[in-house]
Amino acid sequence: MWQDIKEVYANAWKAFFLLPLLFVIPAFVEFAQHIVEMNAGMYESRAAAKAAADDPMRMIFGFAKVLSLSLPTYWFVRLMAFQDRAKAARIEAPAFGLWLVLMALMALQTALAMFGPPLGTLLGLNGKFAAIIGPALNSVWSIFGLYLIAWAVAWPLGNREIGPLHSIKLMSGSFWRTVAYLLVCVLPLMAMHYALGYLAIGLTPTWLDWPVLLLDSLIVAFLACATPGASFVAARHAALRNGVSLLPA
């Protein structure tokens, strides 16, 4: 398991040189959001940060950031699977088309979560129960999503045989290992991301915010690779355990 984790970080560093656009796009969008936040006064104080949290322009750039973080999934998963830059970068059928379907589903889910009405409202609930049911259902969906990881990995590789139901079957029995991969590969980068954001709030002099936020943007770019990397090693382990290949026949 430790070898798998080291493989994720090693390939993220490798992608920095072999596929630099995987880093440039998420980092650029993240930094653009920081510029919007600076203009909204978000980094002046903690009170200002709370006031600017729901700024409409910040929310729009937040949605763009989520999309940019998902872009590396096609190329980085293929880099880990094939260990070949040309193969990883190639836009080929049916892999790219299958990945676009996953991207469309993710974009729809994110748009509903960020801009749609609360789940409690959609279900016709009100009061305290409505405030509780939304986060509860989101937590359930996040847990269920772990069982769909093999699907999310197999389709960018061109294996249409592993759909949602097959993915659930493959990932059953690998839940805690998958959680461990995600925690070790994603949590340290996520912690640095939030720590740098908090550091920039109220930092004086103000010009120091810019190098801190630039570093944060680079961390987010690595996060964009480490997340699908953790999914890949989790799905690969589950597939090997079941005697199945993630690659198309």
Side-chain angles (χ1 to χ4, degrees), residues 7-175:
E7 182 183 353
V8 172
Y9 282 108
N11 277 275
W13 184 247
K14 184 189 298 184
F16 182 81
F17 298 99
L18 297 181
L19 300 166
L21 279 178
L22 297 190
F23 289 85
V24 171
I25 294 174
F28 176 81
V29 176
E30 174 71 13
F31 196 70
Q33 185 186 31
H34 286 323
I35 293 174
V36 171
E37 292 168 343
M38 287 286 285
N39 290 334
M42 187 169 184
Y43 296 104
E44 293 177 2
S45 66
R46 296 195 182 278
K50 290 181 179 179
D54 294 327
D55 180 82
M57 188 59 67
R58 179 178 181 270
M59 296 293 289
I60 292 172
F61 273 86
F63 178 69
K65 180 178 75 173
V66 173
L67 295 182
S68 72
L69 287 172
S70 300
L71 282 177
T73 54
Y74 177 81
W75 291 273
F76 191 72
V77 163
R78 292 171 63 84
L79 180 65
M80 290 202 67
F82 302 121
Q83 292 297 306
D84 179 81
R85 182 194 178 280
K87 182 72 173 174
R90 189 174 303 144
I91 305 297
E92 63 181 18
F96 193 71
L98 294 171
W99 173 75
L100 285 177
V101 173
L102 295 174
M103 280 289 292
L105 292 173
M106 183 280 304
L108 177 60
Q109 177 192 345
T110 303
L112 289 174
M114 294 184 67
F115 306 112
L119 284 174
T121 303
L122 287 175
L123 295 173
L125 304 173
N126 51 46
K128 292 183 178 179
F129 189 65
I132 295 173
I133 196 67
L137 290 176
N138 285 331
S139 298
V140 171
W141 175 252
S142 297
I143 293 172
F144 178 70
L146 297 178
Y147 290 95
L148 300 177
I149 280 179
W151 174 34
V153 169
W155 275 25
L157 298 177
N159 187 352
R160 68 181 80 196
E161 299 300 321
I162 300 180
L165 294 178
H166 196 178
S167 179
I168 294 171
K169 180 180 178 181
L170 286 178
M171 298 305 297
S172 295
S174 296
F175 178 83

Side-chain angles (χ1 to χ4, degrees), residues 154-213:
W155 275 25
L157 298 177
N159 187 352
R160 68 181 80 196
E161 299 300 321
I162 300 180
L165 294 178
H166 196 178
S167 179
I168 294 171
K169 180 180 178 181
L170 286 178
M171 298 305 297
S172 295
S174 296
F175 178 83
W176 291 113
R177 190 181 186 99
T178 301
V179 170
Y181 280 134
L182 290 170
L183 285 177
V184 179
C185 294
V186 175
L187 192 60
L189 295 170
M190 188 67 73
M192 285 189 282
H193 167 53
Y194 280 107
L196 288 169
Y198 282 118
L199 177 62
I201 295 174
L203 191 66
T204 52
T206 305
W207 65 265
L208 286 176
D209 288 339
W210 294 109
V212 169
L213 295 176

